């Protein structure tokens, strides 16, 4: 059963291209456990989101490789959340923005911090 927060966290956590390729290859060989560990090794994915990320990769999806790409995915998934985060950042409430992002998406602390910093570095973007 898919956990929507785990799926969202998987979709907005950057994972290097090499790790994605290796995980896909391991999954094709029937080594899903090792593939999940490979994804976790070079990313901030927790176990549940890493399993979801592997499902996405096996289904032919690409994961973001940078915080900028992850932010664009988040915008497409939940534009109202990005608006709320922007309002918090405009009010100087970065910690509150990270907390809100983590509550809504299930992303880990480091990944949430990087996304919020990325959002804050793009003033005036929708």
């Amino acid at each position: 059963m898919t956990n929507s927060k785990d799926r969202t966290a998987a979709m907005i956590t950057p994972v290097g291209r090499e790790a994605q390729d290796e995980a896909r290859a391991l999954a094709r060989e029937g080594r899903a456990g090792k593939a999940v560990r490979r994804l976790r090794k070079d990313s901030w994915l927790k176990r549940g989101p890493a399993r979801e990320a592997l499902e996405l990769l096996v289904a032919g999806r690409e994961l973001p490789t940078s915080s900028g790409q992850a932010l664009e995915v988040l915008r497409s998934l939940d534009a109202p959340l990005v608006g709320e985060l922007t309002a918090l950042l405009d009010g100087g409430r970065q910690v509150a923005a990270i907390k809100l992002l983590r509550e809504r998406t299930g992303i880990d602390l480091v990944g949430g911090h990087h996304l919020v910093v990325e959002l804050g570095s793009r003033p005036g973007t929708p």
Side-chain angles (χ1 to χ4, degrees), residues 50-62:
R51 286 191 290 256
E52 292 292 332
L54 183 60
E55 282 186 28
L56 292 166
L57 290 171
V58 168
R61 300 264 319 252
E62 294 293 323

PDB file of all heavy atoms in Angstrom, residues 50-62:
ATOM      1  N   ALA A  50      12.294   5.828   0.305  1.00  0.00           N
ATOM      2  CA  ALA A  50      13.228   5.174  -0.620  1.00  0.00           C
ATOM      3  C   ALA A  50      12.542   4.030  -1.363  1.00  0.00           C
ATOM      4  O   ALA A  50      12.777   3.828  -2.558  1.00  0.00           O
ATOM      5  CB  ALA A  50      14.462   4.670   0.131  1.00  0.00           C
ATOM      6  N   ARG A  51      11.669   3.289  -0.668  1.00  0.00           N
ATOM      7  CA  ARG A  51      10.905   2.223  -1.339  1.00  0.00           C
ATOM      8  C   ARG A  51       9.974   2.816  -2.398  1.00  0.00           C
ATOM      9  O   ARG A  51       9.831   2.275  -3.494  1.00  0.00           O
ATOM     10  CB  ARG A  51      10.124   1.405  -0.327  1.00  0.00           C
ATOM     11  CG  ARG A  51      10.997   0.465   0.483  1.00  0.00           C
ATOM     12  CD  ARG A  51      10.165  -0.522   1.275  1.00  0.00           C
ATOM     13  NE  ARG A  51       9.441   0.131   2.358  1.00  0.00           N
ATOM     14  CZ  ARG A  51       9.779   0.065   3.637  1.00  0.00           C
ATOM     15  NH1 ARG A  51      10.827  -0.624   4.009  1.00  0.00           N
ATOM     16  NH2 ARG A  51       9.065   0.685   4.548  1.00  0.00           N
ATOM     17  N   GLU A  52       9.346   3.938  -2.046  1.00  0.00           N
ATOM     18  CA  GLU A  52       8.474   4.617  -3.014  1.00  0.00           C
ATOM     19  C   GLU A  52       9.291   5.127  -4.203  1.00  0.00           C
ATOM     20  O   GLU A  52       8.849   5.037  -5.352  1.00  0.00           O
ATOM     21  CB  GLU A  52       7.731   5.781  -2.357  1.00  0.00           C
ATOM     22  CG  GLU A  52       6.711   5.358  -1.329  1.00  0.00           C
ATOM     23  CD  GLU A  52       5.526   4.630  -1.921  1.00  0.00           C
ATOM     24  OE1 GLU A  52       5.170   4.863  -3.094  1.00  0.00           O
ATOM     25  OE2 GLU A  52       4.933   3.808  -1.205  1.00  0.00           O
ATOM     26  N   ALA A  53      10.472   5.667  -3.925  1.00  0.00           N
ATOM     27  CA  ALA A  53      11.334   6.162  -4.995  1.00  0.00           C
ATOM     28  C   ALA A  53      11.695   5.030  -5.947  1.00  0.00           C
ATOM     29  O   ALA A  53      11.689   5.223  -7.173  1.00  0.00           O
ATOM     30  CB  ALA A  53      12.596   6.803  -4.409  1.00  0.00           C
ATOM     31  N   LEU A  54      11.985   3.861  -5.393  1.00  0.00           N
ATOM     32  CA  LEU A  54      12.308   2.718  -6.246  1.00  0.00           C
ATOM     33  C   LEU A  54      11.116   2.346  -7.117  1.00  0.00           C
ATOM     34  O   LEU A  54      11.279   2.071  -8.317  1.00  0.00           O
ATOM     35  CB  LEU A  54      12.760   1.524  -5.401  1.00  0.00           C
ATOM     36  CG  LEU A  54      13.180   0.298  -6.203  1.00  0.00           C
ATOM     37  CD1 LEU A  54      14.350   0.622  -7.131  1.00  0.00           C
ATOM     38  CD2 LEU A  54      13.539  -0.841  -5.265  1.00  0.00           C
ATOM     39  N   GLU A  55       9.917   2.351  -6.547  1.00  0.00           N
ATOM     40  CA  GLU A  55       8.725   2.069  -7.354  1.00  0.00           C
ATOM     41  C   GLU A  55       8.595   3.071  -8.503  1.00  0.00           C
ATOM     42  O   GLU A  55       8.259   2.695  -9.624  1.00  0.00           O
ATOM     43  CB  GLU A  55       7.467   2.130  -6.486  1.00  0.00           C
ATOM     44  CG  GLU A  55       7.231   0.916  -5.644  1.00  0.00           C
ATOM     45  CD  GLU A  55       5.895   0.977  -4.919  1.00  0.00           C
ATOM     46  OE1 GLU A  55       4.953   1.623  -5.418  1.00  0.00           O
ATOM     47  OE2 GLU A  55       5.805   0.359  -3.840  1.00  0.00           O
ATOM     48  N   LEU A  56       8.843   4.337  -8.215  1.00  0.00           N
ATOM     49  CA  LEU A  56       8.766   5.368  -9.252  1.00  0.00           C
ATOM     50  C   LEU A  56       9.799   5.114 -10.343  1.00  0.00           C
ATOM     51  O   LEU A  56       9.494   5.220 -11.542  1.00  0.00           O
ATOM     52  CB  LEU A  56       8.969   6.759  -8.645  1.00  0.00           C
ATOM     53  CG  LEU A  56       7.853   7.251  -7.728  1.00  0.00           C
ATOM     54  CD1 LEU A  56       8.304   8.467  -6.926  1.00  0.00           C
ATOM     55  CD2 LEU A  56       6.603   7.579  -8.539  1.00  0.00           C
ATOM     56  N   LEU A  57      11.016   4.777  -9.940  1.00  0.00           N
ATOM     57  CA  LEU A  57      12.075   4.513 -10.919  1.00  0.00           C
ATOM     58  C   LEU A  57      11.748   3.306 -11.787  1.00  0.00           C
ATOM     59  O   LEU A  57      11.929   3.342 -13.004  1.00  0.00           O
ATOM     60  CB  LEU A  57      13.411   4.299 -10.204  1.00  0.00           C
ATOM     61  CG  LEU A  57      14.029   5.529  -9.562  1.00  0.00           C
ATOM     62  CD1 LEU A  57      15.225   5.136  -8.700  1.00  0.00           C
ATOM     63  CD2 LEU A  57      14.435   6.542 -10.614  1.00  0.00           C
ATOM     64  N   VAL A  58      11.255   2.240 -11.168  1.00  0.00           N
ATOM     65  CA  VAL A  58      10.901   1.025 -11.910  1.00  0.00           C
ATOM     66  C   VAL A  58       9.776   1.318 -12.906  1.00  0.00           C
ATOM     67  O   VAL A  58       9.733   0.755 -13.996  1.00  0.00           O
ATOM     68  CB  VAL A  58      10.533  -0.117 -10.936  1.00  0.00           C
ATOM     69  CG1 VAL A  58       9.883  -1.278 -11.651  1.00  0.00           C
ATOM     70  CG2 VAL A  58      11.764  -0.569 -10.163  1.00  0.00           C
ATOM     71  N   ALA A  59       8.888   2.245 -12.531  1.00  0.00           N
ATOM     72  CA  ALA A  59       7.779   2.617 -13.413  1.00  0.00           C
ATOM     73  C   ALA A  59       8.219   3.588 -14.514  1.00  0.00           C
ATOM     74  O   ALA A  59       7.397   4.024 -15.316  1.00  0.00           O
ATOM     75  CB  ALA A  59       6.652   3.243 -12.594  1.00  0.00           C
ATOM     76  N   GLY A  60       9.513   3.941 -14.547  1.00  0.00           N
ATOM     77  CA  GLY A  60      10.021   4.798 -15.606  1.00  0.00           C
ATOM     78  C   GLY A  60      10.089   6.272 -15.274  1.00  0.00           C
ATOM     79  O   GLY A  60      10.433   7.082 -16.133  1.00  0.00           O
ATOM     80  N   ARG A  61       9.763   6.635 -14.055  1.00  0.00           N
ATOM     81  CA  ARG A  61       9.835   8.043 -13.653  1.00  0.00           C
ATOM     82  C   ARG A  61      11.269   8.414 -13.307  1.00  0.00           C
ATOM     83  O   ARG A  61      12.057   7.582 -12.901  1.00  0.00           O
ATOM     84  CB  ARG A  61       8.964   8.304 -12.420  1.00  0.00           C
ATOM     85  CG  ARG A  61       7.507   8.001 -12.585  1.00  0.00           C
ATOM     86  CD  ARG A  61       6.617   9.167 -12.953  1.00  0.00           C
ATOM     87  NE  ARG A  61       6.867  10.416 -12.308  1.00  0.00           N
ATOM     88  CZ  ARG A  61       6.090  10.966 -11.381  1.00  0.00           C
ATOM     89  NH1 ARG A  61       5.033  10.336 -10.947  1.00  0.00           N
ATOM     90  NH2 ARG A  61       6.374  12.144 -10.898  1.00  0.00           N
ATOM     91  N   GLU A  62      11.563   9.689 -13.444  1.00  0.00           N
ATOM     92  CA  GLU A  62      12.853  10.225 -13.013  1.00  0.00           C
ATOM     93  C   GLU A  62      12.639  10.975 -11.719  1.00  0.00           C
ATOM     94  O   GLU A  62      11.605  11.618 -11.520  1.00  0.00           O
ATOM     95  CB  GLU A  62      13.417  11.185 -14.070  1.00  0.00           C
ATOM     96  CG  GLU A  62      13.789  10.519 -15.376  1.00  0.00           C
ATOM     97  CD  GLU A  62      14.961   9.566 -15.239  1.00  0.00           C
ATOM     98  OE1 GLU A  62      15.901   9.860 -14.464  1.00  0.00           O
ATOM     99  OE2 GLU A  62      14.943   8.524 -15.905  1.00  0.00           O
TER     100      GLU A  62
END
